[in-house]
Amino acid sequence: MVKLIANSAAEGLLPLEGPGVTVAEPPMERLTSLAPLHGGLEAALEAAHGLALPKPNRTTGKAGVRCVWFSATHYMLIGPEPDASLSAHAAVTDQSDAWCRVALSGPRVAEMLSYLAPVDLREESFKRGHTARTLVGHMSASIIRTGAESYELFVFRSMATTLVHELEEALIALP
């Protein structure tokens, strides 16, 4: 019998190091899409996971249990197995294998990302807990600011190799 082994989306492609920037793949966590069906998701999420439903372009929670605004009609629960009670208020879909997630950190990370994303990611405009659905290169992406000098980036899993290539090119472009 064949034994299947789960590989991360960027398995063998990361880490990358550049001038003032480190790119790594964080440990795999469960990713669950929440698409509200009607009212009640906010109260259910609070009761089940202690999280507020994030406002547009924001996140709630902390490492291990977070909720990210992903679009006008979707949120991404990151970390825990979703409580069954959420299904009464949202379409709950496991997305763990659908996304490539990378962590970027360092004093020049916002500068590096400026080569790839048409969003002002400087700290004065894009604070910790902010998120944006945007382009990274030519790929649809979600960018989340996780700290003063750190971000997480999500692209579709099928774009993992392209993402790493684009990040390598941006690192080379840094003066």
Side-chain angles (χ1 to χ4, degrees):
M1 178 177 279
V2 175
K3 182 178 179 185
L4 298 177
I5 300 170
N7 289 326
S8 65
E11 185 83 27
L13 301 173
L14 297 173
L16 300 175
E17 295 274 338
V21 179
T22 300
V23 181
E25 191 172 32
M28 292 172 70
E29 289 184 276
R30 184 179 178 99
L31 304 174
T32 306
S33 171
L34 303 175
L37 300 172
H38 46 72
L41 179 59
E42 187 161 7
L45 187 63
E46 178 71 39
H49 297 287
L51 295 172
L53 202 58
K55 303 275 187 240
N57 300 309
R58 299 294 185 267
T59 66
T60 59
K62 57 186 180 216
V65 181
R66 294 183 293 155
C67 192
V68 177
W69 176 89
F70 233 58
S71 74
T73 59
H74 286 87
Y75 302 90
M76 189 71 75
L77 180 63
I78 302 174
E81 174 88 20
D83 189 83
S85 66
L86 299 180
S87 295
H89 307 285
V92 177
T93 310
D94 184 6
Q95 296 285 311
S96 303
D97 293 335
W99 294 90
C100 174
R101 178 175 151 227
V102 298
L104 302 99
S105 60
R108 298 187 71 194
V109 68
E111 180 184 357
M112 186 208 65
L113 284 171
S114 74
Y115 289 102
L116 299 171
V119 177
D120 183 356
L121 297 172
R122 295 173 300 159
E123 193 165 15
E124 356 13 292
S125 303
F126 198 82
K127 299 177 184 337
R128 184 180 182 279
H130 285 203
T131 186
R133 288 302 299 260
T134 186
L135 293 175
V136 170
H138 66 281
M139 299 165 281
S140 293
S142 179
I143 300 174
I144 303 166
R145 184 167 207 136
T146 57
E149 296 179 343
S150 60
Y151 298 82
E152 280 187 346
L153 190 61
F154 289 75
V155 299
F156 292 119
R157 182 184 185 95
S158 63
M159 301 304 293
T161 302
T162 302
L163 173 64
V164 172
H165 171 75
E166 294 285 341
L167 293 170
E168 288 172 326
E169 293 295 314
L171 284 171
I172 291 167
L174 284 174

